[in-house]
């Protein structure tokens, strides 16, 4: 079996140089010709690396999520925890930063970053000055520079509407929240609302009076919007709601339960995320399960490619969800 020493002798190089190339040391400076020759020799001689996961130091984990009630941030917090766990198993050293500390706290010598949450233009520009080796989870502020891994929420909303139509529903409502313009921070239409509008228009069922947009994706806002829908629509209530997140759906369920609406007999609910508590609310919530483990492993795979293989072409990865049917529809 080929060894580092044998490859070094073949090419007239030092053992250290060959070893560092084969272990994808990002701090090693060698010509592309030398790197290619080493990798080719390793392949031709059947060299197998003993070190499966070369260490990557100083990865910044940017957790840009507003503080709020614990239930509102369960999905984002689950992603953060899973990234940390998987990074440890992959020999990646992670340094955590949060929104409260501010973007200026991010050190200029980071190797790469993984970003969770919403960033404004000034924050994105700051990151660009440090490195373009970044992966955004569930957002994609600049596809030309950064990689991203996102849950395919556009498809999930479309599938929810398709399901309702197949079940004979014609009065279908939507409960969602805003996205924001990166420079002005003014509210924009979220991709889930956009998908709902497009799909309902396709079926010729779109009704503006049945669309409700909360200020934030929180349980409290879901409850407020639920009461608003009951007050405004009364007997003209949709027979089914597509809800953009479990947090909103849980709040809305609380409002409808308090007002003695029968679920799903009078109005059904179908949402997205499948957070742990979704199966315990009354009635248990039908929702799309998003595999957080796959999202995080995909993000770390992209980051490894950018750091170890110097990939410059950006990638956007979309992870599909799986419907979990419970008693809310």
């Amino acid at each position: 079996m080929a060894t580092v020493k044998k490859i070094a002798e073949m090419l007239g190089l030092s053992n250290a140089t060959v070893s560092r190339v084969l272990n994808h040391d990002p701090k090693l400076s060698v010509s592309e010709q030398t790197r290619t020759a080493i990798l080719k020799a390793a392949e031709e001689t059947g060299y197998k690396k003993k070190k499966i996961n070369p260490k990557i130091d100083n990865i910044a984990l940017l957790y840009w999520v507003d503080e709020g009630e614990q239930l509102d941030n369960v999905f984002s917090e689950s992603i953060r925890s899973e990234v940390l766990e998987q990074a440890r198993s992959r020999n990646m050293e992670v340094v955590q930063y949060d929104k409260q500390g501010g973007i200026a706290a991010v050190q200029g010598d980071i190797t790469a970053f993984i970003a969770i949450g919403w960033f404004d233009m000034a924050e994105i520009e700051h990151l660009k000055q440090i490195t373009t080796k970044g992966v955004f989870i569930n957002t994609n502020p600049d596809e030309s520079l950064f990689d991203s891994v996102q849950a395919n929420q556009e498809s999930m909303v479309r599938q929810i509407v398709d399901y309702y139509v197949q079940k004979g529903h014609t009065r279908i409502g939507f409960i969602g929240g805003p996205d924001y313009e990166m420079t002005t921070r003014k509210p924009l239409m979220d991709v889930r609302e956009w998908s709902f509008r497009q799909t309902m228009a396709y079926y010729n069922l779109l009704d503006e009076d049945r669309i409700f947009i909360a200020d934030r994706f929180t349980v409290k806002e879901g409850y407020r919007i639920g009461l608003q829908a009951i007050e405004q629509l009364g007997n003209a209530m949709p027979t089914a709601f597509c809800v953009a997140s479990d947090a909103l759906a849980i709040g809305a369920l609380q409002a409808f339960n308090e007002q003695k609406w029968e679920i799903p007999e009078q109005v059904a609910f179908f949402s997205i995320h499948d957070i742990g508590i979704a199966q315990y609310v009354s009635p248990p919530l039908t929702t799309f399960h998003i595999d957080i483990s796959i999202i995080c492993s995909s993000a770390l795979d992209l980051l490894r490619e950018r750091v170890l293989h110097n990939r410059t072409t950006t990638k956007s990865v979309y992870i599909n969800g799986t419907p979990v049917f419970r008693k809310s529809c």
Side-chain angles (χ1 to χ4, degrees):
M1 181 182 294
T3 64
V4 168
K5 182 179 180 181
K6 181 177 179 180
I7 295 172
E9 290 175 348
M10 288 173 55
L11 300 176
L13 299 170
S14 70
N15 292 350
T17 297
V18 172
S19 177
R20 292 175 70 183
V21 167
L22 293 176
N23 285 293
H24 304 287
D25 185 342
K27 297 180 181 178
L28 176 64
S29 177
V30 295
S31 68
E32 194 58 36
Q33 182 179 4
T34 299
R35 188 185 302 274
T36 301
I38 292 172
L39 295 175
K40 182 179 179 181
E43 182 178 355
E44 291 176 348
T45 57
Y47 172 79
K48 293 184 179 180
K49 292 183 291 184
K50 294 181 180 179
K51 192 173 184 179
I52 299 174
N53 290 315
K55 187 176 184 183
I56 303 178
D57 294 314
N58 202 13
I59 298 169
L61 175 58
L62 312 180
Y63 188 67
W64 246 240
V65 177
D66 290 323
E67 291 183 343
E69 294 184 14
Q70 184 176 4
L71 187 57
D72 299 333
N73 292 333
V74 166
F75 185 67
S76 296
E77 177 59 29
S78 297
I79 293 174
R80 186 192 70 84
S81 298
E82 183 68 18
V83 166
L84 290 172
E85 182 176 342
Q86 290 196 23
R88 281 193 293 268
S89 70
R90 292 172 177 237
N91 203 20
M92 296 178 171
E93 178 193 62
V94 174
V95 180
Q96 297 187 66
Y97 299 87
D98 61 33
K99 188 173 184 177
Q100 288 66 44
I103 199 69
V106 180
Q107 299 297 310
D109 62 349
I110 61 171
T111 303
F113 67 84
I114 294 179
I116 304 168
W118 188 87
F119 295 76
D120 65 24
M121 183 59 71
E123 292 165 334
I124 297 300
E125 289 298 328
H126 182 84
L127 292 174
K128 288 180 182 179
Q129 299 304 313
I130 297 174
T131 181
T132 57
K133 294 178 179 178
V135 182
F136 286 83
I137 295 181
N138 276 341
T139 59
N140 196 351
D142 192 336
E143 295 178 345
S144 67
L145 287 179
F146 302 114
D147 293 342
S148 71
V149 179
Q150 302 177 71
N152 194 353
Q153 296 180 115
E154 177 184 339
S155 172
M156 295 176 207
V157 168
R158 185 167 61 249
Q159 291 180 62
I160 291 172
V161 175
D162 289 343
Y163 168 81
Y164 279 146
V165 171
Q166 291 166 11
K167 291 296 183 181
H169 294 277
T170 56
R171 299 204 318 266
I172 304 170
F174 178 80
I175 297 174
D179 195 357
Y180 294 94
E181 207 280 325
M182 292 174 59
T183 302
T184 65
R185 294 177 175 256
K186 292 182 178 179
L188 294 174
M189 186 182 295
D190 179 75
V191 66
R192 286 159 285 189
E193 180 187 350
W194 181 88
S195 181
F196 177 81
R197 289 176 175 276
Q198 293 294 312
T199 310
M200 289 293 286
Y202 170 81
Y203 286 114
N204 199 29
L205 294 174
L206 182 63
D207 187 333
E208 292 292 335
D209 291 339
R210 299 171 187 153
I211 296 176
F212 296 87
I213 305 302
D215 293 334
R216 298 177 63 193
F217 291 90
T218 66
V219 175
K220 183 178 180 180
E221 276 292 284
Y223 177 77
R224 181 183 69 81
I225 289 294
L227 292 178
Q228 180 182 331
I230 293 168
E231 180 181 353
Q232 289 184 7
L233 299 180
N235 293 331
M237 183 69 66
T239 57
F241 272 105
C242 169
V243 190
S245 75
D246 286 351
L248 286 172
I250 290 168
L253 282 175
Q254 182 183 354
F256 276 80
N257 282 328
E258 286 183 0
Q259 298 300 314
K260 310 302 181 183
W261 285 76
E262 295 182 2
I263 304 168
E265 290 78 11
Q266 290 180 284
V267 56
F269 287 84
F270 198 143
S271 67
I272 295 172
H273 285 164
D274 194 27
I275 63 176
I277 199 173
Q279 60 186 309
Y280 300 115
V281 296
S282 181
L285 184 60
T286 294
T287 181
F288 260 93
H289 176 74
I290 298 174
D291 195 319
I292 289 174
S293 177
I294 291 178
I295 285 179
C296 296
S297 64
S298 299
L300 292 172
D301 286 344
L302 292 177
L303 183 142
R304 184 179 293 278
E305 289 178 8
R306 293 297 293 269
V307 174
L308 299 183
H309 302 294
N310 294 311
R311 172 172 53 81
T312 56
T313 301
T314 59
K315 291 184 180 181
S316 299
V317 177
Y318 289 86
I319 307 298
N320 294 316
T322 305
V324 179
F325 291 96
R326 301 190 180 103
K327 294 182 178 181
S328 69
C329 74

